[in-house]
Amino acid sequence: MFKVVFWYWWAVAAVLLVFEMMLPGVVFLFLAIGAAAAGLFLLVVSDLSIELQLLTFALISVVAAVGLRRTLRRLQHADNPATSTLNARGDALIGRIIVLDQPILNGRGRVILGDGSWSVTGPDMVKGAKVRVKSVSGTELAVEPAP
């Protein structure tokens, strides 16, 4: 009769991980965890029946899916500065230190950032002064002297 060896389960886990990398979704990750656990369990208890191996595989896969679901969702929707300001270009500038291209006179001036020109408001300063962006309103940056 055919005997299942522990590394068969690990080979199945490796194939499932390859599927996980190639296909969308996260289903194969949970199945791979279940297969790896079934292989580990078979390594510890070498005379385990195929029914108990499959039960271990199924139970661990379901437990992994339920247990890791919240963690994966949190990682997917983490407040990443790169994605949270993707469509709010001005918000990405808050806290950034910039150099004035033109002086701020009577509380108003302009600065060029990347490929855009922004109005700035703040205390009067000379051209070349370093300022920190403290807030954004439309296309206007409120700045303060940088430390």
Side-chain angles (χ1 to χ4, degrees), residues 4-116:
V4 177
V5 185
F6 71 93
W7 62 266
Y8 291 176
W9 282 108
W10 291 352
V12 169
V15 169
L16 289 168
L17 285 175
V18 169
F19 286 163
E20 178 65 34
M21 288 185 273
M22 293 175 28
L23 300 170
V26 193
V27 174
F28 292 108
L29 174 66
F30 307 132
L31 295 175
I33 291 171
L40 183 64
F41 196 51
L42 184 59
L43 179 64
V44 173
V45 183
S46 59
D47 60 344
L48 199 62
S49 70
I50 188 69
E51 292 84 8
L52 286 176
Q53 292 175 42
L54 290 171
L55 181 65
T56 302
F57 167 68
L59 285 176
I60 298 295
S61 296
V62 169
V63 168
V66 171
L68 294 175
R69 183 174 170 222
R70 180 178 295 142
T71 302
L72 291 174
R73 183 169 289 162
R74 188 184 64 226
L75 289 174
Q76 183 180 14
H77 298 296
D79 287 335
N80 184 350
T83 57
S84 65
T85 60
L86 182 61
N87 291 319
R89 188 173 162 198
D91 292 343
L93 298 174
I94 295 175
R96 185 171 167 190
I97 296 178
I98 56 177
V99 177
L100 293 175
D101 295 327
Q102 298 175 6
I104 298 178
L105 300 173
N106 297 323
R108 302 199 57 78
R110 291 198 73 75
V111 67
I112 296 175
L113 287 173
D115 61 349

Side-chain angles (χ1 to χ4, degrees), residues 123-138:
D124 290 354
M125 291 187 223
V126 296
K127 176 182 176 179
K130 289 185 179 182
V131 295
R132 180 181 23 231
V133 179
K134 60 181 183 178
S135 66
V136 178
S137 177

